[in-house]
Amino acid sequence: MIIVIINEIPEKNKRLNKIALFFTFYQLEKVTKTLLNIILYNVVDRSLNKVVSRKYDMIVMRLKHSIILFICSQVLCLIATASGSMVPERVENQSLLGSISWDKYHNYTEIEEILLEINSTYPEIADVFSVGKSWQNKTIYCLRLTNESDNYPKPAILLVGYHHTREPITAELALYFSVQLATNYGKNETITRMLNKTELYIIVALNPDGFETVEQNDWQRKNSHPTDEDQDGLFDEDPPEDEDGDGKVEYLWDYHTGFVRWEGWDNDGDGVNGEDWIGGVDLNRNYGYQWNASTQSGSQNPEDEDYKGTAPFSEPETRALRDLVMQYDFRYAVSLHSGADVILYPWGYTTDPAPDHEKYQSLAVNMSALVNSSYQQSGEMYTTSGVWDDWMYGNQSVFAFTFEIFRNSSAWTYEPGPDPYTTWVGGVFEYFNPLTQHILANIQRWVPALFYLIETAIEEYLPGDVNHDYKVDIYDVVSLTSIYGSCVGDPDWNPKLDLRRDGRIDIFDVVIVTSNYGRSIKA
Ligand SMILES: [Ca+2]
Ligand SMILES: [Ca+2]
Ligand SMILES: [Ca+2]
Ligand SMILES: [Ca+2]
Ligand SMILES: [Zn+2]
């Protein structure tokens, strides 16, 4: 008898973990009188799903709360002996995923839990893996959804939520979309087709530190990179505080002289209030395409909200995204933001049109019609350096859109200040995020646009068209054969050409190109 344990216990509880394991197996062996083979998997291990679902057919137990498991282990043993197998976990998980409330903002622990539930409940279509760590050492997860039993090449599509700390609604949309796709595979015809025909990669939250940071200060936009904004040698020593205890941080505005101060105290006694917050770098000015362009937004000053960092990809969060994107041959990608209601596309760094401007525009027209938003070339709104979409498109040849999914212009609040002509200004969270009772309607609104892009990717996809020109011809063959025999780790290795995903450019990849040779698609 082989038992696989999925380990979800944090590192710090390792000792507890071992004790629980020992007693569990001691008792199991006693009851079943069989010598047990024990395999312990970490839950973020990418190979977990495949191992569990294909290599063996076995009992899966979850080691999540060691104490409870310890107490329950005797009961579990009895069930195991009586029925010959344990209660399958899938039954309880389905109800858990079905009972998520979409009238609240989830914290990162909850998001993590939901992703891992998807991972363990739907091993045939879901794969959750780590793509990196944040400044506060939190795991950045990517969820891949696809019918894993069909490994013929499919178009890869990326959805990324939550770059900016004060925009948690974007994580809600990415999370909701993930849950809907996973739980409706095999039930809903459209979703089933999509997961059969594409590989969807979803990063629900690229900036996992933000969820706690925004609790303290809902103005925070940048990541949580400790930064000495006022350059006095101390880090994050003077954040703003909720002085009057109304649950939000406001700033004092004078109608004659302008900005006066942030709410809160002058913690470091330098005469300025709230001048050194936690973090950070504007993650959406930190990408390595036109990072240094002279634009309206993208600052070299650490005090600014749109501080671009010391170098392209100086941040672990942007590096995590970069490294993922360089592994897969993405065709389309969407990044979620809030603070406007518009679909944006490259270029951001200039008002000049992108080479694929017409195609971008026609896709944006159709998507915006579906969700009733406006659309625009990003740089036409204001020019920006080092933005995600420009790097995705300019450096990685991926059609990349930014969905600005929500803005409430009437959210600002004004309360009387200490003097006439002064007022406390608040309401920033409500400007960027809907009230909790309106979350669901606001995220459901954007699903048709995401579906549209996925359908487009399916229609346009030509297996073997490795250079993305919508025809399979001699150039594709040459791309592949020029690195024939190359393996992971070789200097000429290019994972995007490894159509079979087996870590080697070999005859199987070439066959995919040659068997589609001469085909073309009007896109
Ligand atoms: Ca400082
Ligand atoms: Ca306040
Ligand atoms: Ca100060
Ligand atoms: Ca081609
Ligand atoms: Zn944003």
Side-chain angles (χ1 to χ4, degrees), residues 66-125:
S66 356
I67 288 296
I68 297 170
L69 183 66
F70 171 55
I71 295 165
C72 294
S73 56
Q74 186 72 52
V75 182
L76 282 170
C77 292
L78 292 173
I79 296 170
T81 334
S83 64
S85 76
M86 294 190 194
V87 182
E89 198 180 4
R90 185 162 186 146
V91 175
E92 60 190 63
N93 280 343
Q94 274 174 338
S95 64
L96 198 151
L97 287 173
S99 65
I100 300 168
S101 27
W102 300 105
D103 56 358
K104 58 167 271 189
Y105 287 96
H106 293 89
N107 63 35
Y108 199 58
T109 310
E110 292 163 335
I111 290 173
E112 211 168 5
E113 213 168 81
I114 292 169
L115 288 174
L116 298 177
E117 291 290 352
I118 293 175
N119 189 49
S120 57
T121 310
Y122 301 103
E124 318 81 16
I125 52 163

Side-chain angles (χ1 to χ4, degrees), residues 168-360:
I169 185 62
T170 64
E172 293 299 323
L173 171 52
L175 187 66
Y176 176 81
F177 195 59
S178 304
V179 171
Q180 290 307 307
L181 291 174
T183 56
N184 285 302
Y185 181 77
K187 295 178 194 157
N188 175 295
E189 209 178 303
T190 308
I191 289 173
T192 307
R193 202 174 82 85
M194 285 178 178
L195 297 198
N196 283 339
K197 300 261 182 208
T198 63
E199 280 178 11
L200 293 176
Y201 292 79
I202 302 175
I203 297 177
V204 168
L206 187 67
N207 171 23
D209 299 341
F211 296 92
E212 278 174 33
T213 305
V214 75
E215 291 276 306
Q216 291 144 26
N217 175 9
D218 45 20
W219 289 90
Q220 178 85 27
R221 163 185 168 97
K222 298 183 280 187
N223 72 347
S224 297
H225 180 166
T227 304
D228 179 16
E229 272 93 345
D230 60 345
Q231 299 175 330
D232 63 353
L234 303 169
F235 287 77
D236 307 337
E237 77 283 359
D238 196 354
E241 285 101 3
D242 178 17
E243 223 175 298
D244 62 356
D246 66 351
K248 53 192 178 193
V249 169
E250 291 133 312
Y251 67 81
L252 187 62
W253 180 262
D254 185 307
Y255 289 110
H256 297 308
T257 58
F259 178 87
V260 182
R261 69 174 183 90
W262 289 102
E263 191 184 0
W265 300 276
D266 176 16
N267 303 22
D268 59 348
D270 67 350
V272 186
N273 274 61
E275 80 286 353
D276 194 339
W277 300 6
I278 186 166
V281 171
D282 183 342
L283 293 177
N284 202 26
R285 301 290 182 273
N286 191 240
Y287 288 90
Y289 191 84
Q290 296 289 344
W291 176 80
N292 228 354
S294 161
T295 51
Q296 286 162 290
S297 176
S299 166
Q300 292 176 21
N301 181 354
E303 284 187 62
D304 287 343
E305 226 179 30
D306 56 350
Y307 174 50
K308 62 166 101 169
T310 51
F313 297 112
S314 60
E315 303 310 293
E317 295 88 0
T318 49
R319 284 199 298 274
L321 189 132
R322 175 195 67 189
D323 295 348
L324 174 78
V325 169
M326 292 177 76
Q327 285 299 311
Y328 301 103
D329 188 16
F330 288 107
R331 300 300 168 115
Y332 284 97
V334 174
S335 175
L336 304 173
H337 285 265
S338 65
D341 195 326
V342 60
I343 291 174
L344 299 171
Y345 48 88
W347 299 116
Y349 79 96
T350 173
T351 53
D352 292 346
D356 293 292
H357 183 82
E358 271 178 39
K359 175 162 173 164
Y360 265 122

Side-chain angles (χ1 to χ4, degrees), residues 370-520:
L370 287 169
V371 300
N372 191 26
S373 74
S374 58
Y375 62 90
Q376 199 171 22
Q377 180 183 330
S378 171
E380 296 276 353
M381 195 151 81
Y382 54 92
T383 54
T384 47
S385 59
V387 288
W388 173 86
D389 356 20
D390 282 4
W391 180 78
M392 291 292 290
Y393 176 62
N395 195 289
Q396 297 289 307
S397 307
V398 183
F399 276 95
F401 291 87
T402 289
F403 289 0
E404 292 272 1
I405 62 169
F406 180 84
R407 170 180 59 190
N408 177 3
S409 315
S410 54
W412 302 114
T413 58
Y414 304 92
E415 280 166 33
D419 308 304
Y421 305 112
T422 61
T423 181
W424 287 106
V425 182
V428 66
F429 190 85
E430 292 73 21
Y431 179 89
F432 284 94
N433 304 278
L435 300 174
T436 51
Q437 65 267 33
H438 299 139
I439 291 175
L440 186 59
N442 276 286
I443 53 185
Q444 282 176 334
R445 174 188 165 205
W446 287 88
V447 170
L450 294 170
F451 277 0
Y452 180 84
L453 215 52
I454 295 169
E455 292 286 3
T456 305
I458 295 172
E459 273 172 33
E460 286 181 0
Y461 187 60
L462 250 188
D465 175 23
V466 295
N467 67 353
H468 298 203
D469 66 355
Y470 305 105
K471 46 186 191 270
V472 181
D473 55 18
I474 192 67
Y475 295 104
D476 302 296
V477 176
V478 168
S479 297
L480 223 70
T481 50
S482 67
I483 60 162
Y484 192 87
S486 162
C487 297
V488 178
D490 289 351
D492 61 351
W493 173 245
N494 180 354
K496 297 188 180 196
L497 299 184
D498 181 18
L499 301 174
R500 286 274 301 228
R501 299 279 172 76
D502 55 3
R504 171 191 295 273
I505 307 297
D506 55 16
I507 190 67
F508 297 108
D509 304 303
V510 175
V511 163
I512 289 167
V513 178
T514 51
S515 65
N516 287 287
Y517 197 89
R519 287 182 64 196
S520 65

